Amino acid sequence: MPHDETPAPTQAPPQTQTLNRSSAGSSAARLPAPRLPGPVDAGPAPWLLRLIAVGLVLAALNLRPAITSLGALLEEVREGLHMSGSVAGVLTSVPPLCFAVFGVMAPRLARRFGAGTVVCAGMAAIAAGLVIRPYVGSTAGFLAASALALMGIAVSNILMPVIVKRWFPDRVGTMTGLYSMALALGTALAAAVTVPLTGALGGNWQSGLAVWAVLAALAVLPWIVLVRDRTPAPGQPAATRPGRGSGAASASGAASGSAEGSGPASGSASGAASGSASASGAADARSAEAPALRITRSRTAWGLACFFGLQATAAYITMGWMPQIFRDAGVPAGTAGVLLAVTMAMGVPLAFVIPRVAGRLRQQGPIVVVLGLCGLIGYTGLYLVPAAGAWAWALLLGVANCAFPLALTMIGMRSRTGAGVVRLSAFAQSTGYLLSIPGPLLVGVLYQHSGGWGLPIALMAGLMIPQMVAGVLAGRDRTIEDEC
């Protein structure tokens, strides 16, 4: 009777066993080591990113009311402080002057204390300046307190793109649009409601100016958390946390981390360098230690600076003189103020849309040209039929003024690293604001000597041509690291 037999296991020859062990060893060597959780992988909590977004919006809301609220009550301020007409004229050029002078301080302060800390201090300076200046009782004190508020605005202006680059490296266009929209909203609100607020507060111009300090004080609160927080930004190694003495990360307040590009328009995935975070950190360190003047070798940086300066010139001429242009054409004073508010309000939706579109394009030159053409048409209409087409010209000039959020978007896209962004932001904005200082003064001089608005409007229209040229140059698909 046959019986079941269990076959005995066969033993491989010694050579085969050796080969199997070698093959298994090499296979084991090829297997990836288990990835242990650690501070390098632990990104910021979702609530922290939401808080940073709220902080960006509140900060942006405070970057223009100090200027446009004063414009709405300039006549009352002149009478209250016995301010001469020439000093009042200088006031229209003080903001870009302060932005140019104090803006250069932002990179050094960010290296020392971190970008979030500097923005927090900037909001506190805005609140202090706005609450002090109406009550100092002298022209010199008013100018000094205004300079304090403008200093806070200047450093925050510089560091907004840096905060975006550091915490939202894959959403540069979206977040730039968000805070640009908030900036335009704050500008329009201050232009439109300062006079009604003053009336509601008893008709006292001091109260009408000081009330804007409340909004600045609110903006301090979310940034206090960032002063204390040491969470690494997305893709940033824990060793490069921002803070005093933290090297490259604190130098820029931004971590390039895994963001080799600058958002959707970088042409490459922003997470492509996630395995090379330390290499990016080293690149940031080398960039931070490079001589500061090296950026002047970049044609892209100069193009951005000129583009920024020319759009700032147009913006401050608009904020300072456009209501007077409409009033001289027969438009009632109240309507002229509303027209300015409409021009500023155009930036609310477009400041969100334009950066998103720009972030999806490799070159931003076409957007620059469209905005410039809107400005040319608006100024032409303002020259020919200022009163009859006032609303159309206000809308077109509002579209042209959206060159500002486009410039901020290009700053975030024209450098590979966070350190490069902060240096480019400081250079472009400080140089640009310096270039914009003579514009409002020159318009006033031409108006006074010509007795009309023909020459000033021709000047404003003529400046749109070099603005388009500089913007096309700055919008090319390259970075400052390619040129320095």
Side-chain angles (χ1 to χ4, degrees):
M1 178 177 180
H3 58 275
D4 294 336
E5 293 183 357
T6 303
T10 59
Q11 184 173 3
Q15 294 90 343
T16 305
Q17 291 182 8
T18 303
L19 289 174
N20 289 339
R21 283 195 298 268
S22 300
S23 176
S26 62
S27 299
R30 286 193 300 269
L31 291 174
R35 195 171 183 178
L36 298 177
V40 173
D41 300 320
W47 69 266
L48 180 58
L49 291 179
R50 287 193 291 268
L51 184 65
I52 295 169
V54 171
L56 283 169
V57 170
L58 286 175
L61 284 172
N62 283 279
L63 294 182
R64 291 299 179 270
I67 303 167
T68 51
S69 63
L70 175 60
L73 296 174
L74 184 57
E75 188 63 31
E76 290 79 1
V77 172
R78 286 182 58 191
E79 293 176 358
L81 297 178
H82 308 289
M83 189 182 296
S84 67
S86 59
V87 174
V90 169
L91 279 176
T92 61
S93 291
V94 167
L97 175 62
C98 289
F99 293 166
V101 171
F102 296 126
V104 298
M105 301 165 52
R108 180 170 296 182
L109 292 172
R111 284 194 296 269
R112 177 67 173 168
F113 302 106
T117 303
V118 176
V119 173
C120 182
M123 295 298 107
I126 295 171
L130 291 182
V131 78
I132 291 171
R133 73 175 180 176
Y135 302 105
V136 290
S138 68
T139 299
F142 188 90
L143 289 172
S146 296
L148 174 62
L150 292 168
M151 177 179 66
I153 295 172
V155 295
S156 300
N157 264 336
I158 298 295
L159 295 178
M160 289 291 100
V162 178
I163 297 291
V164 169
K165 179 80 170 181
R166 177 174 188 263
W167 293 98
F168 306 96
D170 56 342
R171 286 178 282 171
V172 170
T174 299
M175 298 307 299
T176 300
L178 180 64
Y179 79 76
S180 297
M181 183 174 65
L183 188 150
L185 179 61
T187 305
L189 281 175
V193 308
T194 295
V195 173
L197 275 177
T198 302
L201 295 171
N204 189 339
W205 66 265
Q206 286 94 340
S207 300
L209 290 182
V211 71
W212 294 101
V214 176
L215 183 62
L218 288 176
V220 174
L221 300 179
W223 294 101
I224 292 176
V225 177
L226 282 183
V227 172
R228 302 173 59 86
D229 181 72
R230 290 296 180 263
T231 303
Q236 180 185 0
T240 60
R241 290 173 177 173
R244 188 174 301 180
S246 64
S250 65
S252 64
S256 62
S258 63
E260 190 67 25
S262 56
S266 64
S268 59
S270 62
S274 60
S276 59
S278 61
S280 293
D284 267 353
R286 289 193 299 271
S287 179
E289 294 168 1
L293 292 178
R294 188 177 179 186
I295 199 171
T296 59
R297 302 178 186 177
S298 169
R299 288 179 294 177
T300 298
W302 278 109
L304 263 174
C306 292
F307 179 65
F308 196 95
L310 289 167
Q311 67 81 28
T313 299
Y316 286 107
I317 289 174
T318 299
M319 286 188 283
W321 292 108
M322 197 176 82
Q324 191 63 48
I325 295 174
F326 285 126
R327 292 181 66 177
D328 288 350
V331 177
T335 305
V338 174
L339 286 168
L340 175 61
V342 167
T343 299
M344 298 295 104
M346 281 300 297
V348 176
L350 292 181
F352 188 73
V353 172
I354 289 176
R356 289 176 64 89
V357 175
R360 289 178 169 86
L361 299 176
R362 296 184 67 88
Q363 300 193 31
Q364 290 72 46
I367 304 177
V368 171
V369 173
V370 170
L371 297 181
L373 290 176
C374 287
L376 285 174
I377 297 171
Y379 287 129
T380 301
L382 204 57
Y383 180 88
L384 296 175
V385 282
W391 295 100
W393 315 142
L395 290 172
L396 285 169
L397 292 176
V399 174
N401 277 344
C402 289
F404 175 72
L406 177 61
L408 294 183
T409 303
M410 290 196 290
I411 287 173
M413 298 173 66
R414 296 285 91 89
S415 176
R416 296 194 187 100
T417 66
V421 169
V422 75
R423 288 171 54 200
L424 180 58
S425 181
F427 175 77
Q429 294 199 48
S430 297
T431 305
Y433 281 125
L434 193 63
L435 292 173
S436 71
I437 292 171
L441 287 175
L442 185 56
V443 166
V445 170
L446 289 175
Y447 173 59
Q448 180 178 350
H449 285 277
S450 67
W453 286 107
L455 283 178
I457 292 175
L459 171 67
M460 289 184 271
L463 290 177
M464 298 305 300
I465 304 299
Q467 177 177 318
M468 286 190 284
V469 173
V472 170
L473 176 65
R476 295 176 300 171
D477 184 23
R478 61 185 63 189
T479 63
I480 58 172
E481 287 85 1
D482 299 329
E483 301 174 339
C484 294

